[in-house]
Short mmCIF file of all heavy atoms in Angstrom, two decimals:
data_model
loop_
_atom_site.label_atom_id
_atom_site.label_comp_id
_atom_site.label_asym_id
_atom_site.label_seq_id
_atom_site.Cartn_x
_atom_site.Cartn_y
_atom_site.Cartn_z
N LEU A 142 0.84 -1.23 0.03
CA LEU A 142 0.01 0.00 0.02
C LEU A 142 0.87 1.27 0.03
O LEU A 142 0.69 2.24 -0.75
CB LEU A 142 -0.94 0.04 1.21
CG LEU A 142 -1.84 1.22 1.32
CD1 LEU A 142 -2.65 1.43 0.15
CD2 LEU A 142 -2.71 1.12 2.60
N ASP A 143 1.88 1.28 0.82
CA ASP A 143 2.77 2.43 0.83
C ASP A 143 3.41 2.73 -0.49
O ASP A 143 3.57 3.88 -0.89
CB ASP A 143 3.89 2.24 1.88
CG ASP A 143 3.42 2.32 3.33
OD1 ASP A 143 2.35 2.93 3.52
OD2 ASP A 143 4.13 1.81 4.23
N ILE A 144 3.75 1.66 -1.28
CA ILE A 144 4.33 1.83 -2.52
C ILE A 144 3.40 2.44 -3.56
O ILE A 144 3.64 3.32 -4.34
CB ILE A 144 4.94 0.40 -3.03
CG1 ILE A 144 6.24 0.14 -2.28
CG2 ILE A 144 5.23 0.60 -4.54
CD1 ILE A 144 6.81 -1.26 -2.53
N LEU A 145 2.17 1.83 -3.54
CA LEU A 145 1.11 2.41 -4.35
C LEU A 145 0.90 3.90 -4.13
O LEU A 145 0.68 4.70 -4.99
CB LEU A 145 -0.21 1.62 -4.30
CG LEU A 145 -0.22 0.14 -4.72
CD1 LEU A 145 -1.48 -0.46 -4.51
CD2 LEU A 145 0.24 0.07 -6.18
N LEU A 146 0.83 4.30 -2.80
CA LEU A 146 0.57 5.69 -2.46
C LEU A 146 1.74 6.44 -2.87
O LEU A 146 1.57 7.70 -3.36
CB LEU A 146 0.25 5.76 -0.95
CG LEU A 146 -1.09 5.16 -0.45
CD1 LEU A 146 -1.07 5.14 1.05
CD2 LEU A 146 -2.21 5.91 -1.09
N PHE A 147 2.96 6.03 -2.68
CA PHE A 147 4.20 6.77 -3.06
C PHE A 147 4.10 7.02 -4.60
O PHE A 147 4.36 8.15 -5.00
CB PHE A 147 5.38 5.94 -2.73
CG PHE A 147 6.70 6.67 -3.19
CD1 PHE A 147 7.16 7.69 -2.45
CD2 PHE A 147 7.25 6.28 -4.33
CE1 PHE A 147 8.37 8.34 -2.82
CE2 PHE A 147 8.34 6.97 -4.76
CZ PHE A 147 8.96 7.96 -4.01
N LEU A 148 3.75 5.98 -5.46
CA LEU A 148 3.84 6.15 -6.79
C LEU A 148 2.73 7.10 -7.24
O LEU A 148 2.98 7.94 -8.20
CB LEU A 148 3.65 4.90 -7.52
CG LEU A 148 4.80 3.83 -7.38
CD1 LEU A 148 4.43 2.48 -7.98
CD2 LEU A 148 6.11 4.43 -8.09
N SER A 149 1.66 7.13 -6.52
CA SER A 149 0.53 8.07 -7.01
C SER A 149 0.86 9.44 -6.62
O SER A 149 0.39 10.35 -7.22
CB SER A 149 -0.70 7.69 -6.26
OG SER A 149 -0.73 7.92 -4.83
N LYS A 150 1.67 9.71 -5.55
CA LYS A 150 1.97 11.08 -5.12
C LYS A 150 3.27 11.66 -5.70
O LYS A 150 3.58 12.81 -5.69
CB LYS A 150 2.05 11.08 -3.65
CG LYS A 150 0.80 10.91 -2.91
CD LYS A 150 -0.10 12.22 -2.86
CE LYS A 150 -1.26 11.87 -2.01
NZ LYS A 150 -2.30 13.01 -2.09
N ASN A 151 4.03 10.79 -6.29
CA ASN A 151 5.32 11.17 -6.88
C ASN A 151 5.62 10.70 -8.14
O ASN A 151 6.58 9.79 -8.42
CB ASN A 151 6.46 10.64 -5.78
CG ASN A 151 6.35 11.06 -4.46
OD1 ASN A 151 6.73 12.20 -4.00
ND2 ASN A 151 5.70 10.20 -3.67
N PRO A 152 4.93 11.23 -9.22
CA PRO A 152 5.12 10.73 -10.59
C PRO A 152 6.52 10.87 -11.10
O PRO A 152 6.86 10.07 -11.97
CB PRO A 152 4.15 11.55 -11.42
CG PRO A 152 3.82 12.84 -10.48
CD PRO A 152 4.03 12.36 -9.04
N GLY A 153 7.40 11.76 -10.65
CA GLY A 153 8.75 11.97 -11.10
C GLY A 153 9.70 10.89 -10.49
O GLY A 153 10.82 10.79 -10.93
N PHE A 154 9.23 10.15 -9.52
CA PHE A 154 10.03 9.12 -8.81
C PHE A 154 9.37 7.86 -8.93
O PHE A 154 8.73 7.38 -7.98
CB PHE A 154 10.15 9.68 -7.36
CG PHE A 154 10.91 10.93 -7.18
CD1 PHE A 154 10.13 12.12 -6.95
CD2 PHE A 154 12.30 11.10 -7.32
CE1 PHE A 154 10.72 13.32 -6.84
CE2 PHE A 154 12.89 12.31 -7.10
CZ PHE A 154 12.13 13.47 -6.97
N ASP A 155 9.66 7.17 -10.02
CA ASP A 155 8.89 5.93 -10.40
C ASP A 155 9.74 4.77 -10.64
O ASP A 155 9.42 3.93 -11.44
CB ASP A 155 8.08 6.29 -11.61
CG ASP A 155 8.85 6.65 -12.85
OD1 ASP A 155 10.09 6.82 -12.77
OD2 ASP A 155 8.24 6.65 -13.90
N THR A 156 10.89 4.70 -9.93
CA THR A 156 11.72 3.53 -9.92
C THR A 156 11.83 2.89 -8.59
O THR A 156 11.56 3.41 -7.62
CB THR A 156 13.09 3.81 -10.48
OG1 THR A 156 13.81 4.58 -9.57
CG2 THR A 156 13.11 4.63 -11.78
N ALA A 157 12.26 1.53 -8.59
CA ALA A 157 12.50 0.94 -7.21
C ALA A 157 13.48 1.63 -6.44
O ALA A 157 13.37 1.81 -5.29
CB ALA A 157 12.91 -0.50 -7.53
N THR A 158 14.51 2.16 -7.12
CA THR A 158 15.51 2.91 -6.44
C THR A 158 15.04 4.26 -5.80
O THR A 158 15.34 4.52 -4.71
CB THR A 158 16.81 3.29 -7.41
OG1 THR A 158 17.25 2.10 -7.92
CG2 THR A 158 17.81 4.05 -6.75
N ASP A 159 14.20 4.80 -6.53
CA ASP A 159 13.49 6.10 -5.94
C ASP A 159 12.70 5.66 -4.66
O ASP A 159 12.79 6.42 -3.63
CB ASP A 159 12.52 6.64 -6.90
CG ASP A 159 13.19 7.29 -8.16
OD1 ASP A 159 14.31 7.77 -8.09
OD2 ASP A 159 12.51 7.36 -9.27
N ILE A 160 12.15 4.60 -4.67
CA ILE A 160 11.31 4.15 -3.48
C ILE A 160 12.17 3.86 -2.37
O ILE A 160 11.96 4.22 -1.21
CB ILE A 160 10.38 2.96 -3.81
CG1 ILE A 160 9.27 3.36 -4.86
CG2 ILE A 160 9.70 2.38 -2.58
CD1 ILE A 160 8.52 2.11 -5.56
N VAL A 161 13.24 3.14 -2.62
CA VAL A 161 14.20 2.71 -1.59
C VAL A 161 14.86 3.95 -1.03
O VAL A 161 14.95 4.15 0.22
CB VAL A 161 15.30 1.77 -2.15
CG1 VAL A 161 16.48 1.58 -1.22
CG2 VAL A 161 14.66 0.43 -2.48
N ASP A 162 15.28 4.92 -1.86
CA ASP A 162 16.02 6.04 -1.41
C ASP A 162 15.04 7.01 -0.65
O ASP A 162 15.54 7.71 0.30
CB ASP A 162 16.61 6.83 -2.53
CG ASP A 162 17.87 6.07 -3.20
OD1 ASP A 162 18.28 5.21 -2.57
OD2 ASP A 162 18.21 6.48 -4.42
N ARG A 163 13.84 7.17 -1.12
CA ARG A 163 12.96 8.21 -0.52
C ARG A 163 12.26 7.82 0.65
O ARG A 163 11.89 8.48 1.50
CB ARG A 163 12.06 8.86 -1.58
CG ARG A 163 12.79 9.44 -2.71
CD ARG A 163 11.95 10.59 -3.43
NE ARG A 163 12.86 11.29 -4.32
CZ ARG A 163 13.38 12.46 -4.07
NH1 ARG A 163 13.15 13.07 -2.95
NH2 ARG A 163 14.14 13.08 -4.95
N LYS A 164 11.80 6.47 0.63
CA LYS A 164 11.04 5.93 1.72
C LYS A 164 11.95 5.19 2.78
O LYS A 164 11.51 4.85 3.81
CB LYS A 164 9.95 4.89 1.18
CG LYS A 164 8.91 5.55 0.42
CD LYS A 164 8.04 6.53 1.15
CE LYS A 164 7.06 5.80 2.06
NZ LYS A 164 6.21 6.64 2.74
N ARG A 165 13.20 4.94 2.43
CA ARG A 165 14.13 4.35 3.27
C ARG A 165 13.68 2.89 3.58
O ARG A 165 13.87 2.34 4.65
CB ARG A 165 14.29 5.07 4.53
CG ARG A 165 14.83 6.45 4.47
CD ARG A 165 16.31 6.43 3.83
NE ARG A 165 16.90 7.75 3.90
CZ ARG A 165 17.37 8.38 2.83
NH1 ARG A 165 17.38 7.71 1.70
NH2 ARG A 165 17.86 9.50 2.90
N PHE A 166 13.01 2.25 2.59
CA PHE A 166 12.69 0.76 2.67
C PHE A 166 13.84 -0.16 2.31
O PHE A 166 14.67 0.32 1.44
CB PHE A 166 11.46 0.50 1.95
CG PHE A 166 10.19 1.16 2.28
CD1 PHE A 166 9.26 1.44 1.31
CD2 PHE A 166 9.90 1.46 3.60
CE1 PHE A 166 8.04 2.04 1.64
CE2 PHE A 166 8.70 2.03 3.95
CZ PHE A 166 7.75 2.34 2.90
N ALA A 167 13.82 -1.30 2.79
CA ALA A 167 15.00 -2.27 2.43
C ALA A 167 14.68 -2.65 0.88
O ALA A 167 13.50 -2.88 0.54
CB ALA A 167 14.97 -3.56 3.28
N LYS A 168 15.84 -2.82 0.14
CA LYS A 168 15.74 -3.16 -1.28
C LYS A 168 14.98 -4.42 -1.44
O LYS A 168 14.15 -4.54 -2.30
CB LYS A 168 17.08 -3.35 -1.83
CG LYS A 168 17.69 -2.00 -2.13
CD LYS A 168 19.09 -2.34 -2.76
CE LYS A 168 19.95 -1.10 -2.89
NZ LYS A 168 21.30 -1.30 -3.54
N SER A 169 15.26 -5.44 -0.68
CA SER A 169 14.65 -6.74 -0.63
C SER A 169 13.09 -6.72 -0.46
O SER A 169 12.34 -7.43 -1.18
CB SER A 169 15.27 -7.80 0.30
OG SER A 169 15.17 -7.28 1.68
N HIS A 170 12.65 -5.87 0.51
CA HIS A 170 11.18 -5.73 0.83
C HIS A 170 10.57 -5.20 -0.37
O HIS A 170 9.44 -5.37 -0.78
CB HIS A 170 11.01 -4.96 2.17
CG HIS A 170 11.45 -5.87 3.21
ND1 HIS A 170 11.86 -5.06 4.46
CD2 HIS A 170 11.67 -7.01 3.38
CE1 HIS A 170 12.13 -6.06 5.31
NE2 HIS A 170 12.08 -7.19 4.69
N VAL A 171 11.15 -4.05 -0.96
CA VAL A 171 10.58 -3.29 -2.11
C VAL A 171 10.48 -4.24 -3.29
O VAL A 171 9.48 -4.28 -3.96
CB VAL A 171 11.45 -1.95 -2.38
CG1 VAL A 171 11.05 -1.37 -3.82
CG2 VAL A 171 11.33 -0.97 -1.34
N SER A 172 11.50 -4.99 -3.49
CA SER A 172 11.58 -5.94 -4.66
C SER A 172 10.43 -6.90 -4.54
O SER A 172 9.74 -7.20 -5.49
CB SER A 172 12.88 -6.59 -4.77
OG SER A 172 12.97 -7.55 -5.78
N LEU A 173 10.27 -7.49 -3.38
CA LEU A 173 9.24 -8.43 -3.12
C LEU A 173 7.84 -7.84 -3.29
O LEU A 173 6.99 -8.48 -4.00
CB LEU A 173 9.39 -9.11 -1.69
CG LEU A 173 8.37 -10.20 -1.41
CD1 LEU A 173 8.51 -11.37 -2.36
CD2 LEU A 173 8.62 -10.67 0.07
N SER A 174 7.69 -6.83 -2.76
CA SER A 174 6.40 -6.01 -2.89
C SER A 174 6.08 -5.70 -4.17
O SER A 174 4.82 -5.82 -4.71
CB SER A 174 6.29 -4.75 -1.97
OG SER A 174 6.40 -5.10 -0.58
N LEU A 175 7.03 -5.23 -5.06
CA LEU A 175 6.73 -4.88 -6.47
C LEU A 175 6.35 -6.06 -7.24
O LEU A 175 5.51 -6.11 -8.06
CB LEU A 175 8.02 -4.18 -7.01
CG LEU A 175 8.29 -2.71 -6.63
CD1 LEU A 175 9.69 -2.32 -7.16
CD2 LEU A 175 7.21 -1.78 -6.88
N LYS A 176 7.09 -7.26 -6.95
CA LYS A 176 6.64 -8.51 -7.63
C LYS A 176 5.18 -8.78 -7.41
O LYS A 176 4.47 -9.11 -8.26
CB LYS A 176 7.67 -9.62 -7.20
CG LYS A 176 7.42 -10.96 -7.82
CD LYS A 176 8.44 -11.90 -7.42
CE LYS A 176 8.38 -13.18 -8.10
NZ LYS A 176 7.43 -14.14 -7.63
N THR A 177 4.77 -8.66 -6.08
CA THR A 177 3.45 -9.01 -5.79
C THR A 177 2.45 -8.02 -6.43
O THR A 177 1.40 -8.38 -7.00
CB THR A 177 3.24 -9.00 -4.23
OG1 THR A 177 4.19 -9.82 -3.63
CG2 THR A 177 1.82 -9.26 -3.81
N LEU A 178 2.81 -6.77 -6.42
CA LEU A 178 1.83 -5.77 -7.01
C LEU A 178 1.77 -5.98 -8.58
O LEU A 178 0.69 -5.85 -9.08
CB LEU A 178 2.39 -4.29 -6.76
CG LEU A 178 2.33 -3.95 -5.19
CD1 LEU A 178 3.12 -2.59 -5.05
CD2 LEU A 178 0.78 -3.66 -4.90
N GLU A 179 2.86 -6.41 -9.13
CA GLU A 179 2.81 -6.60 -10.52
C GLU A 179 2.05 -7.89 -10.83
O GLU A 179 1.16 -7.92 -11.85
CB GLU A 179 4.27 -6.78 -11.09
CG GLU A 179 4.29 -6.98 -12.61
CD GLU A 179 5.72 -6.94 -13.18
OE1 GLU A 179 6.66 -7.61 -12.46
OE2 GLU A 179 5.97 -6.59 -14.24
N GLU A 180 2.24 -8.94 -10.09
CA GLU A 180 1.43 -10.22 -10.29
C GLU A 180 -0.06 -9.89 -10.11
O GLU A 180 -0.93 -10.56 -10.75
CB GLU A 180 1.88 -11.24 -9.34
CG GLU A 180 3.25 -11.83 -9.50
CD GLU A 180 3.76 -12.67 -8.48
OE1 GLU A 180 3.13 -12.79 -7.45
OE2 GLU A 180 4.87 -13.24 -8.83
#
């Protein structure tokens, strides 16, 4: 949910790296969440 909300509010920051850098989430957690969201 945090990733979906981030992407909706930050259209210029739309990469996994942007999410990790700006939200300070672990890369592994972002990667897993993105996989689930895509599926």
